[in-house]
Amino acid sequence: MSALLPARTCLRAATTTTTTTGTFTLPIRSFSTTPSQLYNQNRPSGGPIPSPTGQAPHIPPYPLGPRLYYKQSNTGLYGHATIRYGNNVSEKNEIKTRRTWRPNVHRKRLFSLSLRTWVQTRLTTRVLRTIDKVGGLDEYLLGIKSNRIKELGPWGWRLRWRIMQTRAVKQRFAAERKQLGLVDGVLEKQVREENKRYKMEQKQIQFYTKKKLGLMGSEASTGQHVLPDGRVVDEAGREAYIKETDAILAETGSEQILELGEVEVAKDEGFMKEKPAPKKAPKKAKV
Protein backbone atom coordinates (compact mmCIF):
# COMPACT_ATOMS: atom_id res chain seq x y z
CA MET A 1 0.00 0.00 0.00
CA SER A 2 2.84 2.40 0.82
CA ALA A 3 4.29 2.05 -2.66
CA LEU A 4 1.02 3.14 -4.23
CA LEU A 5 0.66 6.31 -2.10
CA PRO A 6 2.05 9.56 -3.53
CA ALA A 7 5.25 10.88 -2.00
CA ARG A 8 4.86 13.73 0.53
CA THR A 9 6.27 17.05 -0.61
CA CYS A 10 8.20 19.35 1.74
CA LEU A 11 6.66 22.77 2.15
CA ARG A 12 10.09 24.38 2.59
CA ALA A 13 11.46 22.93 -0.64
CA ALA A 14 12.65 25.55 -3.08
CA THR A 15 12.01 23.40 -6.17
CA THR A 16 9.05 24.27 -8.38
CA THR A 17 7.08 22.23 -10.85
CA THR A 18 5.47 23.37 -14.06
CA THR A 19 2.27 22.45 -15.80
CA THR A 20 1.69 22.68 -19.56
CA THR A 21 -1.56 24.08 -20.92
CA GLY A 22 -1.63 23.96 -24.69
CA THR A 23 1.41 25.88 -25.86
CA PHE A 24 1.98 27.79 -22.56
CA THR A 25 4.08 26.63 -19.61
CA LEU A 26 2.93 28.03 -16.23
CA PRO A 27 5.15 27.73 -13.11
CA ILE A 28 3.53 26.47 -9.93
CA ARG A 29 4.13 28.68 -6.89
CA SER A 30 6.17 27.25 -4.05
CA PHE A 31 4.89 27.74 -0.50
CA SER A 32 6.84 28.49 2.68
CA THR A 33 5.92 28.42 6.36
CA THR A 34 8.52 31.06 7.30
CA PRO A 35 6.73 34.12 8.81
CA SER A 36 7.33 37.49 7.19
CA GLN A 37 9.59 39.89 9.09
CA LEU A 38 8.29 43.23 10.35
CA TYR A 39 9.87 46.48 9.20
CA ASN A 40 12.37 47.94 11.67
CA GLN A 41 13.83 51.43 11.67
CA ASN A 42 17.42 51.61 10.52
CA ARG A 43 20.11 52.57 13.01
CA PRO A 44 22.14 55.45 11.55
CA SER A 45 25.53 56.43 12.88
CA GLY A 46 25.39 58.35 16.14
CA GLY A 47 22.54 56.40 17.70
CA PRO A 48 19.15 54.92 16.78
CA ILE A 49 16.05 56.86 15.84
CA PRO A 50 14.05 57.53 19.02
CA SER A 51 10.81 55.66 19.57
CA PRO A 52 7.51 57.59 19.43
CA THR A 53 6.25 55.96 22.65
CA GLY A 54 9.42 54.86 24.49
CA GLN A 55 11.09 56.63 27.39
CA ALA A 56 13.79 59.12 26.35
CA PRO A 57 15.09 61.04 29.40
CA HIS A 58 18.08 62.36 27.42
CA ILE A 59 15.79 64.30 25.04
CA PRO A 60 14.47 67.68 26.26
CA PRO A 61 10.71 67.53 26.90
CA TYR A 62 8.33 68.97 24.36
CA PRO A 63 7.70 72.59 25.46
CA LEU A 64 3.95 72.41 24.73
CA GLY A 65 3.45 69.07 26.46
CA PRO A 66 1.57 66.03 25.14
CA ARG A 67 -1.69 66.51 23.31
CA LEU A 68 -4.58 65.57 25.56
CA TYR A 69 -7.14 65.54 22.74
CA TYR A 70 -6.79 63.01 19.91
CA LYS A 71 -3.86 61.30 21.62
CA GLN A 72 -2.76 59.21 18.65
CA SER A 73 -1.35 62.41 17.11
CA ASN A 74 1.43 62.23 19.75
CA THR A 75 3.02 59.36 17.83
CA GLY A 76 2.97 60.88 14.33
CA LEU A 77 3.21 64.03 12.25
CA TYR A 78 -0.41 65.12 12.27
CA GLY A 79 0.04 68.88 12.21
CA HIS A 80 -3.07 70.55 13.59
CA ALA A 81 -5.40 67.80 12.35
CA THR A 82 -7.94 66.41 14.84
CA ILE A 83 -11.28 64.63 14.74
CA ARG A 84 -14.07 66.96 13.69
CA TYR A 85 -17.72 66.48 14.55
CA GLY A 86 -20.89 67.45 12.74
CA ASN A 87 -24.28 66.27 11.52
CA ASN A 88 -25.73 64.57 8.47
CA VAL A 89 -28.94 66.41 7.58
CA SER A 90 -31.53 64.64 5.44
CA GLU A 91 -32.97 66.62 2.55
CA LYS A 92 -36.60 65.64 3.07
CA ASN A 93 -37.23 65.87 6.81
CA GLU A 94 -34.02 67.63 7.85
CA ILE A 95 -33.25 64.95 10.39
CA LYS A 96 -29.79 65.39 11.93
CA THR A 97 -27.56 62.38 12.49
CA ARG A 98 -24.33 62.82 14.41
CA ARG A 99 -21.13 61.96 12.50
CA THR A 100 -17.34 62.50 12.63
CA TRP A 101 -14.59 63.39 10.17
CA ARG A 102 -11.23 61.75 10.79
CA PRO A 103 -7.90 63.03 9.38
CA ASN A 104 -6.49 61.41 6.28
CA VAL A 105 -3.58 59.53 7.89
CA HIS A 106 -1.03 57.38 6.03
CA ARG A 107 2.10 55.48 6.95
CA LYS A 108 5.06 56.64 4.86
CA ARG A 109 8.82 56.20 4.67
CA LEU A 110 10.58 59.55 4.29
CA PHE A 111 14.29 59.96 3.56
CA SER A 112 16.36 62.11 5.93
CA LEU A 113 19.44 63.71 4.37
CA SER A 114 21.15 64.33 7.71
CA LEU A 115 20.55 60.79 9.01
CA ARG A 116 21.10 59.24 5.53
CA THR A 117 18.36 56.73 6.10
CA TRP A 118 14.61 56.23 5.74
CA VAL A 119 12.32 57.21 8.60
CA GLN A 120 8.96 55.47 8.85
CA THR A 121 6.17 57.48 10.44
CA ARG A 122 2.47 58.17 10.31
CA LEU A 123 1.48 61.53 8.91
CA THR A 124 -1.44 63.32 7.32
CA THR A 125 -1.63 64.29 3.67
CA ARG A 126 -1.52 67.98 4.61
CA VAL A 127 1.81 67.51 6.42
CA LEU A 128 3.11 65.43 3.49
CA ARG A 129 2.28 68.29 1.14
CA THR A 130 4.11 70.74 3.43
CA ILE A 131 7.19 68.48 3.50
CA ASP A 132 7.27 68.41 -0.30
CA LYS A 133 6.85 72.18 -0.39
CA VAL A 134 9.68 73.07 2.02
CA GLY A 135 12.13 70.59 0.48
CA GLY A 136 12.26 67.46 2.61
CA LEU A 137 11.79 66.00 6.07
CA ASP A 138 14.82 67.79 7.58
CA GLU A 139 13.66 71.23 6.42
CA TYR A 140 10.21 70.58 7.86
CA LEU A 141 11.54 69.50 11.25
CA LEU A 142 14.04 72.37 11.52
CA GLY A 143 11.44 75.11 11.05
CA ILE A 144 11.92 77.96 13.54
CA LYS A 145 8.46 79.55 13.53
CA SER A 146 6.21 79.02 16.54
CA ASN A 147 3.45 77.55 14.38
CA ARG A 148 5.85 74.87 13.09
CA ILE A 149 6.79 73.90 16.66
CA LYS A 150 3.08 73.47 17.43
CA GLU A 151 2.65 71.26 14.35
CA LEU A 152 5.51 68.89 15.24
CA GLY A 153 4.02 67.42 18.40
CA PRO A 154 6.01 65.17 20.77
CA TRP A 155 7.10 62.74 18.03
CA GLY A 156 8.22 65.47 15.65
CA TRP A 157 10.07 67.15 18.53
CA ARG A 158 12.05 63.94 19.12
CA LEU A 159 12.93 63.64 15.45
CA ARG A 160 13.99 67.30 15.43
CA TRP A 161 16.35 66.74 18.38
CA ARG A 162 17.78 63.60 16.73
CA ILE A 163 18.71 65.28 13.45
CA MET A 164 20.17 68.25 15.32
CA GLN A 165 22.78 65.88 16.80
CA THR A 166 24.14 64.93 13.36
CA ARG A 167 27.33 66.41 11.95
CA ALA A 168 25.62 67.81 8.86
CA VAL A 169 23.12 69.91 10.84
CA LYS A 170 25.81 71.09 13.28
CA GLN A 171 27.96 72.29 10.37
CA ARG A 172 24.94 74.05 8.90
CA PHE A 173 24.25 75.90 12.16
CA ALA A 174 27.94 76.81 12.48
CA ALA A 175 27.88 78.33 8.98
CA GLU A 176 24.77 80.36 9.86
CA ARG A 177 26.40 81.67 13.05
CA LYS A 178 29.51 82.61 11.08
CA GLN A 179 27.40 84.48 8.54
CA LEU A 180 25.75 86.43 11.37
CA GLY A 181 29.09 87.15 13.04
CA LEU A 182 28.39 85.10 16.17
CA VAL A 183 31.50 82.88 16.20
CA ASP A 184 34.86 83.01 17.99
CA GLY A 185 33.31 84.63 21.03
CA VAL A 186 32.36 87.86 19.26
CA LEU A 187 28.97 88.02 20.90
CA GLU A 188 30.39 87.32 24.38
CA LYS A 189 33.01 90.01 23.88
CA GLN A 190 30.38 92.56 22.93
CA VAL A 191 28.32 91.69 25.99
CA ARG A 192 31.32 92.12 28.28
CA GLU A 193 32.14 95.49 26.74
CA GLU A 194 28.56 96.68 27.11
CA ASN A 195 28.46 95.59 30.76
CA LYS A 196 31.76 97.33 31.45
CA ARG A 197 30.54 100.48 29.78
CA TYR A 198 27.25 100.40 31.70
CA LYS A 199 28.99 100.01 35.06
CA MET A 200 31.36 102.86 34.28
CA GLU A 201 28.48 105.13 33.27
CA GLN A 202 26.62 104.31 36.48
CA LYS A 203 29.67 105.20 38.56
CA GLN A 204 30.05 108.48 36.68
CA ILE A 205 26.37 109.36 37.19
CA GLN A 206 26.54 108.59 40.91
CA PHE A 207 29.72 110.65 41.30
CA TYR A 208 28.42 113.76 39.54
CA THR A 209 24.99 113.45 41.16
CA LYS A 210 26.53 113.56 44.62
CA LYS A 211 28.63 116.53 43.61
CA LYS A 212 25.62 118.35 42.19
CA LEU A 213 23.57 117.80 45.35
CA GLY A 214 26.35 119.21 47.54
CA LEU A 215 27.20 115.93 49.21
CA MET A 216 30.89 116.65 48.64
CA GLY A 217 30.98 120.25 49.84
CA SER A 218 34.02 119.65 52.02
CA GLU A 219 36.18 118.88 48.98
CA ALA A 220 36.92 122.55 48.22
CA SER A 221 38.32 123.23 51.69
CA THR A 222 40.28 120.01 52.16
CA GLY A 223 41.50 119.62 48.56
CA GLN A 224 40.45 115.96 48.53
CA HIS A 225 37.96 114.22 46.21
CA VAL A 226 35.83 111.13 46.74
CA LEU A 227 35.78 108.80 43.72
CA PRO A 228 32.75 106.64 42.81
CA ASP A 229 34.49 103.52 44.16
CA GLY A 230 34.92 105.20 47.58
CA ARG A 231 38.59 106.18 47.37
CA VAL A 232 39.70 109.60 48.63
CA VAL A 233 42.33 111.18 46.37
CA ASP A 234 43.80 114.60 45.75
CA GLU A 235 43.47 116.72 42.60
CA ALA A 236 46.16 114.76 40.74
CA GLY A 237 44.46 111.47 41.54
CA ARG A 238 41.15 112.87 40.38
CA GLU A 239 42.63 113.96 37.05
CA ALA A 240 44.24 110.53 36.59
CA TYR A 241 40.91 108.83 37.32
CA ILE A 242 39.12 111.02 34.75
CA LYS A 243 41.74 110.26 32.09
CA GLU A 244 41.50 106.53 32.80
CA THR A 245 37.72 106.67 32.52
CA ASP A 246 37.88 108.55 29.24
CA ALA A 247 40.32 105.98 27.83
CA ILE A 248 38.01 103.09 28.77
CA LEU A 249 35.01 104.81 27.22
CA ALA A 250 37.00 105.51 24.07
CA GLU A 251 37.88 101.79 23.74
CA THR A 252 34.24 100.76 24.05
CA GLY A 253 33.23 103.30 21.38
CA SER A 254 31.23 105.61 23.63
CA GLU A 255 31.54 109.34 24.04
CA GLN A 256 33.01 110.98 27.11
CA ILE A 257 30.42 111.62 29.82
CA LEU A 258 30.34 115.28 30.80
CA GLU A 259 29.46 116.62 34.18
CA LEU A 260 25.97 117.79 34.87
CA GLY A 261 25.55 121.21 33.39
CA GLU A 262 28.45 120.89 30.92
CA VAL A 263 26.44 119.55 28.01
CA GLU A 264 26.60 121.94 25.10
CA VAL A 265 23.28 122.68 23.45
CA ALA A 266 23.28 123.61 19.80
CA LYS A 267 21.61 126.91 19.17
CA ASP A 268 19.90 126.82 15.85
CA GLU A 269 17.83 129.89 15.32
CA GLY A 270 15.61 128.28 12.70
CA PHE A 271 15.04 125.00 14.55
CA MET A 272 11.61 124.48 16.11
CA LYS A 273 10.79 128.17 15.82
CA GLU A 274 7.25 129.12 15.06
CA LYS A 275 6.73 131.42 12.16
CA PRO A 276 4.43 134.36 12.72
CA ALA A 277 1.06 134.01 11.09
CA PRO A 278 0.56 136.22 8.03
CA LYS A 279 -1.52 139.30 8.64
CA LYS A 280 -4.87 139.26 6.98
CA ALA A 281 -5.97 142.26 4.92
CA PRO A 282 -8.73 144.27 6.59
CA LYS A 283 -12.17 143.59 5.22
CA LYS A 284 -13.78 146.39 3.23
CA ALA A 285 -16.92 147.82 4.67
CA LYS A 286 -20.06 147.09 2.74
CA VAL A 287 -21.72 150.11 1.19
Side-chain angles (χ1 to χ4, degrees), residues 230-245:
R231 293 182 298 166
V232 179
V233 297
D234 53 1
E235 188 65 26
R238 179 176 176 274
E239 295 294 336
Y241 177 77
I242 293 176
K243 291 182 180 180
E244 181 182 358
T245 303

Side-chain angles (χ1 to χ4, degrees), residues 41 49-53 59 62 67 72-78 119-123 137 141 151-162:
Q41 298 275 22
I49 299 175
S51 172
T53 57
I59 300 179
Y62 184 51
R67 296 170 176 172
Q72 81 175 49
S73 62
N74 294 326
T75 59
L77 301 177
Y78 283 51
V119 178
Q120 179 172 318
T121 180
R122 290 187 300 179
L123 75 168
L137 178 63
L141 296 175
E151 288 185 9
L152 292 180
W155 167 231
W157 178 262
R158 292 189 177 190
L159 285 179
R160 176 190 174 94
W161 177 88
R162 178 63 185 88

Side-chain angles (χ1 to χ4, degrees), residues 148-205:
R148 180 61 53 80
I149 301 299
K150 293 179 182 179
E151 288 185 9
L152 292 180
W155 167 231
W157 178 262
R158 292 189 177 190
L159 285 179
R160 176 190 174 94
W161 177 88
R162 178 63 185 88
I163 67 175
M164 288 177 66
Q165 309 307 313
T166 59
R167 181 179 299 178
V169 177
K170 288 182 178 180
Q171 292 178 354
R172 171 181 171 179
F173 288 166
E176 292 179 358
R177 289 194 298 269
K178 184 176 181 180
Q179 185 178 3
L180 297 174
L182 302 178
V183 293
D184 298 333
V186 176
L187 180 61
E188 291 78 4
K189 183 178 180 181
Q190 293 178 356
V191 171
R192 288 195 300 268
E193 291 179 355
E194 290 294 332
N195 292 337
K196 189 175 181 180
R197 174 185 174 184
Y198 174 76
K199 292 180 180 179
M200 187 60 64
E201 289 178 353
Q202 292 299 320
K203 289 182 179 180
Q204 290 278 354
I205 293 173

